[in-house]
């Protein structure tokens, strides 16, 4: 497949999104990395190189999404890895905090597809969402995350039918070593990673590049749609 494609990655300024952008740029794709602040998006684009462009998009603001679409024009592929998650026991999690998880992720993805979907080529375009292993293996304190990831997976299957022949898929990561764990002290993070690694058939936790290569596969494979690709080290099995 030609690598002269334009790929917009919303949530591309950190972690899995950033590694995906780097991988795509390294093979010659025109990459647009979007985040909530213009300065960080531009800094990430400079770090990636290869002509990458930084763009500000707030998924909770339809005007922001429309302005970004006017700036990008037609794109070939849309990747949505942005999320704002909240962890707390059900009885302690404020409804507003749970609602914010859905507002940023589920409704954010929904808005983005409404605006950017018409800019995709119908014969070769694709949309890739991110869900998460909690949709299959919920744990105490993950109620909002579990629910939003399950909702994203339902959205994936529905849009794969409704937007066809544009392809729509989702990637479901397990525990992955990204900035999302930076809120923990180093010793606690290392202990959590070690404990999880010992429980997994792979014997290690995920790396951002594990997920980036999966996104590349879903962009390139023209016969894959409506699927949830689990990249979780076998977490669903143990």
């Amino acid at each position: 497949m030609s690598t002269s494609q334009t790929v917009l990655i919303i949530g591309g300024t950190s972690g899995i999104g950033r590694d995906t952008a780097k991988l795509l740029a390294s093979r010659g794709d025109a990459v647009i990395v979007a985040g909530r602040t213009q300065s960080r998006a531009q800094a990430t684009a400079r770090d990636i190189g290869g002509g990458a462009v930084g763009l500000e998009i707030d998924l909770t603001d339809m005007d922001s999404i429309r302005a970004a679409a006017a700036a990008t024009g037609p794109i070939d592929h849309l990747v949505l890895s942005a999320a704002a998650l909240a962890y707390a026991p059900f009885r302690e999690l404020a409804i507003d905090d749970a609602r914010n998880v859905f507002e940023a992720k589920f409704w954010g993805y929904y808005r983005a597809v409404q605006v950017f979907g018409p800019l995709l080529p119908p014969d070769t375009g694709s949309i890739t969402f991110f869900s998460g292993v909690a949709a299959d293996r919920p744990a105490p304190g993950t109620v909002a995350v579990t629910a939003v990831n399950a909702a994203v997976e339902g959205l994936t299957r529905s849009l794969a039918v409704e937007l066809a022949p544009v392809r729509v898929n989702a990637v479901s990561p397990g525990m992955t070593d990204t900035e999302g764990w930076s809120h923990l002290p180093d010793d606690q993070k290392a202990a959590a990673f070690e404990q999880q690694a010992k429980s997994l058939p792979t014997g290690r936790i995920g790396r951002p590049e594990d997920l980036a290569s999966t996104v590349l596969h879903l962009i390139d494979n023209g016969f894959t749609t409506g699927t949830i690709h689990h990249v979780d080290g076998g977490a669903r099995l143990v």
Side-chain angles (χ1 to χ4, degrees), residues 5-26:
Q5 303 177 98
T6 299
V7 185
L8 171 61
I9 303 174
I10 304 178
T13 61
S14 64
I16 295 166
R18 186 179 60 205
D19 272 56
T20 300
K22 286 182 177 179
L23 180 60
L24 292 169
S26 72

Side-chain angles (χ1 to χ4, degrees), residues 29-215:
D29 286 334
V31 173
I32 304 169
V33 290
R36 284 175 289 182
T37 63
Q38 183 72 19
S39 59
R40 184 173 183 182
Q42 290 177 331
T44 302
R46 288 194 297 270
D47 177 62
I48 291 169
V53 174
L55 188 65
E56 180 179 346
I57 297 181
D58 180 353
L59 287 179
T60 67
D61 183 348
M62 198 65 158
D63 288 340
S64 172
I65 299 169
R66 291 191 181 110
T72 66
I75 59 174
D76 295 295
H77 303 282
L78 174 63
V79 179
L80 287 145
S81 63
L85 305 178
Y87 295 91
F90 174 72
R91 291 183 177 87
E92 299 173 15
L93 182 64
I95 290 178
D96 282 347
D97 290 339
R99 184 180 289 114
N100 288 339
V101 171
F102 270 81
E103 187 67 24
K105 188 166 184 176
F106 177 83
W107 289 114
Y109 288 11
Y110 198 104
R111 293 185 190 98
V113 173
Q114 280 198 331
V115 174
F116 285 102
L119 302 181
L120 295 166
D123 52 342
T124 58
S126 76
I127 299 166
T128 304
F129 295 137
F130 271 78
S131 62
V133 70
D136 296 286
R137 290 296 301 273
T142 68
V143 60
V145 176
T146 294
V148 77
N149 285 332
V152 167
E153 293 184 4
L155 183 66
T156 299
R157 289 184 286 267
S158 182
L159 291 182
V161 174
E162 188 156 347
L163 301 184
V166 169
R167 297 178 297 105
V168 186
N169 296 286
V171 179
S172 177
M175 182 180 281
T176 306
D177 187 359
T178 68
E179 292 96 326
W181 295 91
S182 60
H183 63 286
L184 292 178
D186 288 345
D187 57 340
Q188 292 184 26
K189 181 172 72 172
F193 285 176
E194 181 180 4
Q195 180 180 7
Q196 179 72 1
K198 288 179 179 178
S199 73
L200 295 174
T202 56
R204 68 170 176 86
I205 65 164
R207 305 180 185 114
E209 57 264 32
D210 297 323
L211 286 304
S213 63
T214 303
V215 175

